Amino acid sequence: MKGFLLVFLYCPLFIFGQEKRSIKVTDASTKAVILNANLSINKADYYPSDENGNIQFDITKVKKGDSLSVSCMGYLTVKFVVENTSLLPQEVSLNPIVYELNEVNVTNKNVKQKELTLGTKAFSISQEFTHASTKYGLYINNNEKLIGIIKEIRIHMRNGAKSIDMPFKIRLFARKPNSKYPGDELMDEIIAANLKGKSWFSIDISHLNIRLPEDGFFIVFQTMPSEYYSKVPKKAHGWTIARVPGLAFTSFPKSVNKDNYSVIGIGENNWMSKKNLEYQMQATVLVNNK
């Protein structure tokens, strides 16, 4: 789901001297406000829209040359470069993603497609109490050299901190050559929220037509910066923790998935292995079956 780059040369002026600025986010087709949109500044600072579709953000964190993006699940991301902090838009309209059917080659009647579920196969009730601004990933191997696309991502979430509906990112990476850690991204990051509070959160990405990498791939669950979550900690299991969405994992899973493994990352390129546990993540893939 690639966004597009805009440079705003003229927009209405804001009042000088204010610390907070506001951008309203609307649907380009219906003109209705969008409630679950997000503004990011250089992919570091994130601000959500409120019930009126307004995003309040700290203008002191924005300077000339910064990259700003406005995104929401189901919409194309709008990105723009700041030319002048006094000339930021008061409103941004997002275009809905048009979901198109994949082209199917029916000339070769010997090729059939089937769905497979890859990733976690053993389940437990163990919970990872996550931290803000941290990445939690599961490597899913492709030892069988399957050919197809990644259709859906599923993540098993936990609610020990009463935070299952808090926002997070979903990212998808290829494995870095000659390494066991994530490399190139396979899609733009998606900011999501499990508003229905289901233990398994799923998202359909079939419209992105992401090819199944020959060397496997990583599903990454990334928490937002700390200011994105409640400032008032909640008590869970006898101690005090912030309301960061939790993640389920399986202990000692190697007897089931010996070639899958978990990683954790802080910062953009700092990764380390998580031994003896497997984050409960799955991918539904649509593969060719001759």
Side-chain angles (χ1 to χ4, degrees):
M1 183 172 64
K2 296 295 182 183
F4 47 91
L5 184 66
L6 298 177
V7 178
F8 285 89
L9 299 178
Y10 174 78
C11 287
L13 290 173
F14 282 81
I15 299 174
F16 289 97
Q18 291 183 345
E19 292 293 321
K20 296 291 183 180
R21 299 287 174 88
S22 177
I23 294 177
K24 175 170 285 189
V25 186
T26 59
D27 185 302
S29 299
T30 66
K31 307 304 179 184
V33 298
I34 298 176
L35 305 184
N36 296 313
N38 297 273
L39 169 71
S40 70
I41 304 172
N42 297 324
K43 292 187 176 182
D45 296 294
Y46 296 85
Y47 301 89
S49 61
D50 59 22
E51 65 275 9
N52 297 313
N54 294 314
I55 298 177
Q56 302 284 339
F57 63 99
D58 186 355
I59 191 61
T60 63
K61 293 188 176 182
V62 181
K63 62 183 182 300
K64 182 178 179 180
D66 281 351
S67 174
L68 274 62
S69 64
V70 180
S71 62
C72 183
M73 284 182 62
Y75 292 87
L76 294 172
T77 298
V78 170
K79 300 179 181 180
F80 55 94
V81 176
V82 176
E83 290 291 314
N84 188 323
T85 57
S86 299
L87 302 178
L88 294 177
Q90 290 180 317
E91 182 174 323
V92 171
S93 294
L94 301 184
N95 288 293
I97 294 173
V98 178
Y99 294 86
E100 298 179 349
L101 294 176
N102 296 327
E103 183 179 353
V104 179
N105 183 357
V106 296
T107 58
N108 186 351
K109 296 182 179 180
N110 294 322
V111 176
K112 297 181 180 180
Q113 292 183 313
K114 65 177 180 179
E115 285 190 2
L116 296 176
T117 299
L118 307 179
T120 300
K121 295 180 181 178
F123 303 103
S124 72
I125 58 172
S126 300
Q127 169 165 323
E128 178 89 354
F129 285 102
T130 53
H131 303 279
S133 299
T134 306
K135 301 187 291 290
Y136 303 85
L138 176 68
Y139 170 71
I140 298 177
N141 74 80
N142 186 15
N143 293 341
E144 297 182 20
K145 304 303 179 185
L146 300 171
I147 298 174
I149 65 168
I150 303 172
K151 179 181 178 182
E152 183 184 56
I153 294 172
R154 302 178 71 235
I155 297 175
H156 195 180
M157 301 180 65
R158 305 297 290 172
N159 197 30
K162 306 299 182 184
S163 58
I164 198 168
D165 59 342
M166 292 289 100
F168 56 91
K169 293 181 184 179
I170 296 176
R171 302 174 73 178
L172 207 61
F173 293 84
R175 191 171 73 172
K176 187 176 182 179
N178 303 314
S179 171
K180 62 180 181 179
Y181 296 120
D184 294 336
E185 290 207 56
L186 299 175
M187 67 177 189
D188 283 350
E189 62 187 29
I190 297 173
I191 299 177
N194 187 3
L195 298 179
K196 294 183 179 180
K198 294 183 178 180
S199 59
W200 278 94
F201 177 85
S202 62
I203 181 169
D204 187 341
I205 60 170
S206 58
H207 60 284
L208 300 178
N209 286 308
I210 299 172
R211 298 293 179 182
L212 188 59
E214 183 177 354
D215 293 330
F217 60 97
F218 289 86
I219 298 174
V220 173
F221 172 93
Q222 180 174 342
T223 54
M224 307 294 285
S226 58
E227 59 265 25
Y228 227 83
Y229 302 115
S230 173
K231 299 296 183 182
V232 180
K234 300 290 183 179
K235 289 187 176 181
H237 300 286
W239 63 87
T240 301
I241 58 177
R243 294 189 66 225
V244 183
L247 190 61
F249 69 87
T250 300
S251 300
F252 303 99
K254 292 305 179 183
S255 60
V256 179
N257 290 332
K258 64 179 181 179
D259 294 320
N260 294 348
Y261 54 86
S262 297
V263 295
I264 187 170
I266 300 175
E268 191 56 33
N269 297 307
N270 297 320
W271 297 94
M272 64 181 69
S273 298
K274 290 285 287 186
K275 296 182 178 180
N276 300 323
L277 68 82
E278 179 181 82
Y279 294 127
Q280 293 185 1
M281 303 178 185
Q282 294 180 334
T284 301
V285 298
L286 188 64
V287 300
N288 295 338
N289 180 33
K290 294 185 179 181

